[in-house]
Amino acid sequence: PPLANMAPPAEKKQKTEETKEDVKVVEDAEMKNAEEKPAVETPKVVEPPKELETDAAPVAGAKNKDDVTFLTPDTTLNVLPSANGSVLMSLNEGGIQHLMAGARASVGVSKGRYMFEVKVLECVNVADPVAQGNNNNRMSKNLVRVGFSTAGSSLILGATADSICFDSDGAIFHDKKRTVGGQRFGRDNVMAVLLNLDEKSENANTVSLFKDGKRVSQPQALPEGLKGKTLFPHIGFKNASVHVNFGPTPLAPLPFTCHMVQDAAKAHVKVTAYAAPADGKYDVAFPVSLPDEGTFAWLDMFLEKHPTYTELSDRMIMDWAQKSGVWKNRGYENKSCNDKPEGNFQVKELDDGSIRKALFSIAPLQSRNYIVMEVRGNLMKDTRKELLSKFEMPGFKKTALVVVGEPTADFKKKTAEYTLKAKQEASDRAFKVKKMEEKRQKMQAKQAKEAEKQKKKLEKERAKKLADAKKKFEEEKKKKEVAAAKKEGDEEETHEEEEEKKEEEPEEEEEEEAEEPEEIEVEEEAPKVALDAEEKKVVFANFPVKDLAAVVYSASFTKFSCPDKEEGFEEIKYEWSKGDKAEAYMKKYILDRKLSMRIEELQPGQWAQKQLTAWHTSVNTWHAKVAEYKNMLIKKEQAKRAKEAKKAKEAREKAAKEAKEAKEVEEKAKKQAKKKEGDEEKKEEEEEKKEEEEKKEEAEPMEVEEEDEEEETVDLLSIDVFGVEDILDVGAKTPLFKEFGHEDWTLMSLKFELHLLAHAFRKDVNDSERPGIPLDHLAFYYQKYFKKALSTKEYGVESVGDIIKLVSDAVYITPQNVLDSQLSEEMETFAVFAKLTEEAKEEEEEKKEEEEKKEEPEPMEVEEEEEEEAVDLLSIDVFGVEDILDVGAKMPLFKEFGHEDWTLMSLRFELHLLAHAFRKDVDDPERPGIPLDHLPFYYQKYFHKNLTTKEYGVESVADIIKLVSDTVYLTPQQVLDSQLSEEMETFAVFAKLTEEARRFRLLRIDLGEEDAKLKIAVVQASTGGAGGPQTKGLWGKGAQKGVGAAKGTWGGVPQQPQQASWGSKGDSAKGGKGSMMGKGFAAKGPQTPQPQVAPAMQKPGAVAVRPAPVTMPPPAVRSLTPAAKGVVKGSGTVVAPKGAAKGAAAVAPGKGAWPTPTSSYGKASQTTKGATKGSQPYGKPADKGKGGKDAGKGSWGASAGGKAWGGKGGKW
C-alpha cells in the first residue's frame, strides 16, 4: 500500500493484535463445527436392478419349421461341424489354429424376444503368436464369442460394425472395440444370449448374457447400425469346441421363460437358403488380370455381386489374421505388394506359407464356390496348371475369368469414385494442415501480444514504485520540517498546510486496458473437390501399393499368357475385351514392358565374365608394359649420367697429367740455359732431343672417343594409330599408350565396358524383342555387370547420354534409344580400345592447340579496284533467271542468303525429297504419304538427324511445314505432299523459292510485322571448327587461312552407322584417314551404292570406300552437306568451293578413298602424315614437312599453293 495510507507504528500494532484475535475466533468456530458433525455412515450394499424381463407369452401364429443350422458358405474354412451340426470344432494345425473360427446361423430374428445357448466343451492350448514374437513362454488363451450379426457380414464376430458379441474375457466386442459389460466364462459353462426386439418391452433393442441360467450382463443397447435389421445368431471361437443349442428346450433355464430361436414365430424370422448348383458342381473361378489394372478392385466388385463365393488368396489370409487379432510386426498397413504381402508374424506356420497349404488342402473338401485370386500365378501357364490340380475333385467346375482389356462402364465408375475419394482425402489432409498452421500462427501472435502487455504492466509497476519512493522521501523531508517547526511554535499552522496539500493531491488512477474479446472460431468445412478432365479419363486407379513386387514382376511378365481350355479349364469367360482382342492386348502389354522394364533377376553370363577377366589381364599387362618402359628410360638415363661422369673423370686425370709434363719440360729448359755452348752441349742437346722424340714415339696413342649412339625415338603423333601391329612396341620398345593419363585409362575401360555390356546383354537375355539396353536403364545394368556405379559426376557430365558421347567412337545410342556397339562381338585382342583411346587423345590435344592458337588475320591483298557492273537483286525476276550461279556480273542469286535462308532451302529440298521417296520406297497405293505425326520419325530415318521444332523456333511440326509451304503442304488426310514435280533437271528451283520467300519476309519486316522474323537456331557442327563463309564448324576453323579443315569435317560418329564412310576425322584433319573401327560410318547395315574398297588402306573392322559422286551446294549450306554428321549419300559430284583450283571439280576423299584422276587440290596432295603404309602416296614425301608444316597438321597442298586446299595463302 502507499506510504500515505500506512498507519503510524502504534496504530499498526493495535491492528495486528485485532487480526490475531479474529483468527482465533474463526479457529474456535471451526473446532466447534467439527465436534457437532455426525460420524460417517457405512455405505449400504447396492441391490441389483430389478429384472424387467418377464415370462414369454405363447407364440402367436405359425412357428418356424426350418431347422436352425450352420450353412457352409456362412462358416469359415477352419470350422468342422458335427453330423447333426450342433457341435462345432476348429482345426488346430498348419497355422489355422491362430485364426478365429466363425459360424452364422441360417435363421435370423427381426422381431420378438429370443435366445440361444452355447456350451464350451473343450479348450486346446496352443502357443500364443504374440508370446513367441516377444520370446515369452505364455500360453494362448481359449477364446469364445457369442452374439448376433447381419446377413452377409464378416464371419469374424465383432470385427466389423455389422455384429455385436460377448467374449469369454468378460467384454462386449463391437466394431473392433472392447467395452466392459459381461463376465468371464469357460469350459462347461452354458452361456445364453438373449436378443430383445420387442417394441413393447422396456428392454427393447437390447442384448443380454446369461451364465448357467443367471444374468451376468445387464441389457446392452444395440448399436444404431443394427437396429431395425434382421440379426442372426453367431458363434466365434479359437482353440475350443462348442455345443450350440437353438432350442426349443434350454440347457440352463433362465429366471423367466423365453422362447428359443428354433421355436420362434415364422413372422419374426428370416431364413437363409443357398441354391444348389444345377449340374451338381460348385464353381472354382480363376481371375486372369494384369498387375495394377483393376485386379483386386474387380475382385471386390465380383464378391459384392456373388456373396456365395469364398476368396482364396494371400490377401484373404492377411485380412483373416488381422480380424483375429494376430500381432504382426510393423502392422498390417505396411506391405510391399498386394498379391503376396510379407508375413512378419514371427510365427513359423504363418510366415513360412504353411497356412496357405492347409487352406488349399481343406478347400476341396467343402462344398462351396471359390474364387482363387493369384495375380502372378493366374497369369502364368505352369502355375495355373498347379492351382487347377488342387481341385480335381468331381464336385467342382473350373472356370477362367479373363479380366483383360477395356473395362466395363461400372468398373470405370468405381475407378472414378475411388479417384475422387483419394483426391478428397488428400485435399482434407492439406486443408487440415493449413488450418493447424493458421491456428499456430494465431497462437503465436496472441502469445506475443500477451508478452507485450505483461512487459508494459511491469514497466508501469516499476514507474509506480519509483514514484512512491520519491513521494516517501518528500514526506520524510516534510516530517523533519514539521518537527523543526514544533520547536519554533509553528506546528499547528504547518500541520494544517500539510493536511490541505494531502487533500489537494488526488490519487492516480491506473488505466486498465480493455481486454479484447476472444475470436469465436467457426468450424470451417474442407472444400469439396471434383475430378478434372484428365482424371476422369483414368481407367485404372493408382493405388499406393502395387500388386507385384518389382523383382517378381520383372522376372514374370514375359511369361504372362491368356488361359486355354487345354490347361484343364471347363469354361473361359471374358469379362472385358473378348477373345482375340484380349490376346492382342496381352501381347502388346508384354512388348511394351520389354522395352521399358528392367530385368531385375538378370545375371552376367559366362561369356561376359570370361571377356571381363581377359580384359583385366590385358590392362594389367599394359600397365606393366608402361612401368617397364619407364624403368627402361630411367636405366638409360642412369647409364648416360654414369658415362658422362666417367668422361669427366678421365678429362680431369688427363689435365693433371698434361700439367705435370709441362712442368718437367719447363725445368729442363732452365737447365739447358745454364749449359755452356760447345759441342758437348750440342751433343747433349741432340741426345736429349733424340730421347724426347723417342718418348713421343713411345707415347700412348690418343683414345678415340666412342660417339654416343643416337637413341631411337618415336613420335606418336607421326604414327598411323590403326596401322600399328603391336601396341606394346610401336618402335624403340615404346608402347602406344605410354602417355596415357588417368583420364585416358578411365575412358578406355569405359569403352570396353559399354561395348561388352551391349553384346553381353543380348546374349544373356536371348530375346529378339529386346534389342538392347534402354538408355534409362543403362546405369542399372552397368551396376549389375561390373559391381560399380555409373556416375555422371565421376565423368564430369550431366547425364548418362553425355557419358555415351565421351566414348561415341566405341558405342552409340540407336533410334530406339538403346545402347549398341560400333565394334564386333568377337575380337582376337583388345588392342582396338587402346587405339581408339590414343586417337581420341590426339584429337583432343589438337583441338586444344587450335583453340589456344591465336593467329593474326593475314593482311588483305589490295587489288586495283575496277568498276564492276552493279546488279540489283530486287529488280530481277527470280523465276526468269536462267543461271542462278550468275544472274549478272558473276553474281549468284543466293549471294544475300543468311543462315536462315540456307537452312530453309535445305528443308524445302529434304521435305520434297521425303514426300516422293516415301511413296517410291513403300510402293503401296493405300499409303498416300507420310502422316504428320510420323514425319519426325521418317525424317530421322532418311536424313539421320532430328526434325526439332526448337531448331526452327516454332511450336509444332505443322508450323515447320508452314515455313516452307511454297514447296510442300499437308493434304486433307494430314499427310505430307510436295508442290513440285518428282523429276527435275536441276535443283535451282529451291534457290529461287528461297530467294522469293526472303524478299517477301523482308518486306513484311519493313512493314512492322514482328511475327515475320524467323527464330531459326544456329546449330554447331558436331565436331568441326568454326570456319566457312556462313555456317560455323562446316569446313574447319583454319580453312580460310590455309591451316586446313578442322577435325570432324567429314567425320564424327553418326547416330545410325552405315557402311559408306568419309573417314574417321575428315578429309584434312590428319591426312584424311579412312573409315576406322568405331568412327565414321562403320560396316553395318545396308549400303547404297556398293563401296569400292581400297585394300591397302583398310583398318581392322572398317571398310574404306570411295563414295559415288554427290551433287552438293556450296559448303555454307549446312543442311545439304555431309560436313556436320559425316554423312555422304546419293550420287553426283562435289563442287569445289571458291579458293580451290579453278575449274577443278573433285571428290573430297577420306582416308582410304582415292581421288579421281582429274582431281587437283594443290601442287602436291601429300598429307601431313602421308598415306597409310603400303598405299600409293598422294604426293612426294618431301611435302610432308613442307606443305604440311606450313598449312597446318593434316592440311592439303604445298606451302605456296594459293589455289590448293589448305595451302599457305589459300582461300579456304
Side-chain angles (χ1 to χ4, degrees), residues 574-621:
Y574 292 90
E575 297 292 314
W576 292 349
S577 296
K578 309 299 180 184
D580 294 339
K581 289 185 178 180
E583 293 274 0
Y585 187 94
M586 178 81 75
K587 289 179 180 178
K588 184 178 182 300
Y589 177 91
I590 295 171
L591 183 59
D592 291 344
R593 297 309 182 277
K594 281 185 176 181
L595 298 177
S596 60
M597 287 291 297
R598 303 188 312 199
I599 308 176
E600 300 285 345
E601 75 282 2
L602 182 66
Q603 295 298 327
Q606 292 183 357
W607 181 84
Q609 294 176 2
K610 183 179 178 182
Q611 290 286 311
L612 188 59
T613 302
W615 167 255
H616 289 154
T617 303
S618 297
V619 172
N620 291 337
T621 302

Side-chain angles (χ1 to χ4, degrees), residues 538-549:
V538 174
V539 177
F540 303 113
N542 185 19
F543 293 98
V545 180
K546 302 300 181 185
D547 287 343
L548 297 181

Side-chain angles (χ1 to χ4, degrees), residues 790-806:
L790 184 65
S791 169
T792 55
K793 186 177 180 181
E794 180 181 351
Y795 293 97
V797 294
E798 295 295 328
S799 65
V800 176
D802 293 334
I803 293 179
I804 302 299
K805 292 178 183 178
L806 293 176

